[in-house]
Amino acid sequence: MHKKKANKKWRSKNPEKTRLMSYKRSARTYVRRYASHSDIRDLIELFNKENPNDQEEKFDCNFIK
């Protein structure tokens, strides 16, 4: 019971981290279970074009068949 309360308190104090962790879990689930090669290629292209967090390194999607 204490752990549940502590987790709820942490989530309420860290809404940004909580939201980012949720997005990351959802993305991993999608990639692992549902995405096709075409979907992955599209995601990589989207990342390369629009991700403001890492503009230094670009990923090459030519390795996907």
Side-chain angles (χ1 to χ4, degrees):
M1 188 62 143
H2 297 302
K3 186 175 181 179
K4 201 174 199 179
K5 188 175 180 181
N7 285 340
K8 185 176 180 180
K9 182 178 177 182
W10 187 88
R11 284 191 303 269
S12 69
K13 287 187 170 189
N14 298 284
E16 180 68 16
K17 285 184 181 182
T18 301
R19 186 171 57 250
L20 291 176
M21 288 187 326
S22 175
Y23 290 156
K24 188 175 181 178
R25 279 192 308 273
S26 295
R28 286 177 181 221
T29 298
Y30 175 74
V31 167
R32 288 180 178 146
R33 297 185 182 171
Y34 306 108
S36 66
H37 285 276
S38 175
D39 294 333
I40 299 298
R41 190 178 302 110
D42 292 344
L43 288 170
I44 291 171
E45 287 175 7
L46 180 67
F47 177 85
N48 285 339
K49 288 179 186 174
E50 298 182 20
N51 185 2
N53 297 315
D54 186 12
Q55 291 298 318
E56 293 177 14
E57 182 180 356
K58 299 294 182 189
F59 291 98
D60 181 17
C61 57
N62 291 327
F63 68 92
I64 300 173
K65 295 178 182 179

